[in-house]
Amino acid sequence: MIKFFRNIRKDLMEKNKTGKYLKYAIGEIVLVVIGILIALSINNWNEAQKDKMKATNILEAIRSDMVKDLDRIEELKPFWGEEILYFKKVFPAYNYPIDIDNIVDIDTPSQVDYFTLFDYDAPFRSNTSAFDAMIADGNSNLITNDSLFSNIQKFYTFNAPTNENLFEILRQRSSDLNYKYAHIITYKPYKNISDLTDEYLIADLNIYFRSKNFYYWRTFIINQKSLTDIIAQIDKELEQ
């Protein structure tokens, strides 16, 4: 093709057809420019397709992490919820609002012992590997849906660390309670938790369980809704 155009140009120059040569030269330049633009367009399309595929993989990975988070929430909710519900059963004066369901209730307060209320509480920790990898690789710009990216970013930069901080605060308060009332906890001068008469301990327990209830609400109720909404957004985005 290049040889063909070269022969035409040579022929026009030899015949001294300057006007036609100039027109030909302009036409050749136009064809070259068009060729370059087409090549750029194809290259841009290919890059866009690669970015779209990367974005799909990122969203699928984030979705997978969030599904694991939902499963973990469903696993932990009953353990945290029953402690709060049972405390309210023992101390009806605890009137802080609770949002707890699917917990097996008990008949009498005497069924609640110390270990029922203060068993080990496993923390909820979000799976952040996919989000962390996206940020580390500098690929956050690949999620072009601003609303979706904002919700994902908010969950991992606010919700997730808030969960961690609240749990650490709660664990410290539990440790302080155990230290402050070690004599009561160790020697148990009562038959059941419901037999407690120490007003200071009861007051501190009320404060502690309010904190526990807040952790439950913030970590499980709010996160469950946030994760469910974001997963629905991701599914909609992946369908496009």
Side-chain angles (χ1 to χ4, degrees), residues 6-222:
R6 187 181 297 159
N7 289 336
I8 294 176
R9 184 167 61 247
K10 183 179 179 183
D11 182 63
L12 290 173
M13 292 178 67
E14 288 177 350
K15 293 179 180 180
N16 200 25
K17 296 180 179 181
T18 307
K20 289 185 177 181
Y21 173 75
L22 289 175
K23 291 178 181 179
Y24 165 78
I26 293 172
E28 187 175 0
I29 292 171
V30 170
L31 287 175
V32 171
V33 171
I34 292 173
I36 292 173
L37 291 175
I38 292 173
L40 287 174
S41 297
I42 293 174
N43 183 64
N44 290 339
W45 185 85
N46 288 334
E47 290 301 318
Q49 290 302 110
K50 290 179 182 178
D51 287 347
K52 186 176 180 180
M53 182 60 69
K54 286 181 182 178
T56 297
N57 292 336
I58 289 170
L59 288 176
E60 288 177 345
I62 290 175
R63 186 188 189 282
S64 177
D65 280 352
M66 289 187 166
V67 169
K68 292 175 184 176
D69 282 356
L70 282 177
D71 291 341
R72 183 61 172 161
I73 285 174
E74 286 299 325
E75 179 184 349
L76 291 176
K77 272 177 73 176
F79 295 101
W80 284 84
E82 72 176 14
E83 293 180 0
I84 300 169
L85 188 63
Y86 293 170
F87 179 77
K88 185 174 178 64
K89 176 73 75 171
V90 176
F91 301 103
Y94 175 78
N95 56 8
Y96 209 68
I98 55 178
D99 184 8
I100 296 170
D101 54 12
N102 299 324
I103 302 296
V104 179
D105 205 347
I106 54 176
D107 297 326
T108 63
S110 62
Q111 291 179 262
V112 181
D113 58 22
Y114 177 82
F115 293 103
T116 303
L117 292 181
F118 296 93
D119 198 3
Y120 172 73
D121 293 314
F124 167 72
R125 292 191 172 92
S126 298
N127 292 281
T128 65
S129 56
F131 178 79
D132 292 341
M134 177 186 70
I135 298 301
D137 294 339
N139 288 330
S140 59
N141 63 306
L142 296 179
I143 301 180
T144 56
N145 185 324
D146 293 338
S147 175
L148 174 58
F149 177 75
S150 177
N151 289 334
I152 291 173
Q153 185 181 45
K154 179 182 177 181
F155 180 82
Y156 286 112
T157 60
F158 178 75
N159 289 38
T162 297
N163 301 334
E164 299 279 351
N165 293 337
L166 287 175
F167 179 77
E168 289 305 318
I169 292 171
L170 198 59
R171 185 169 64 175
Q172 184 60 52
R173 287 182 179 175
S174 176
S175 177
D176 292 344
L177 270 176
N178 286 324
Y179 179 78
K180 184 176 181 179
Y181 298 102
H183 60 293
I184 295 178
I185 294 171
T186 302
Y187 298 107
K188 300 181 180 64
Y190 49 84
K191 186 176 180 180
N192 300 298
I193 290 287
S194 56
D195 296 330
L196 277 177
T197 56
D198 188 314
E199 293 181 358
Y200 293 103
L201 175 54
I202 293 174
D204 282 344
L205 286 175
N206 268 277
I207 294 171
Y208 172 72
F209 273 89
R210 285 191 178 191
S211 299
K212 199 162 197 171
N213 188 38
F214 181 76
Y215 176 83
Y216 177 91
W217 171 78
R218 190 68 187 77
T219 301
F220 300 117
I221 305 300
I222 296 300

Side-chain angles (χ1 to χ4, degrees), residues 219-230:
T219 301
F220 300 117
I221 305 300
I222 296 300
N223 281 341
Q224 190 172 48
K225 185 180 185 308
S226 296
L227 288 167
T228 301
D229 291 345
I230 294 172

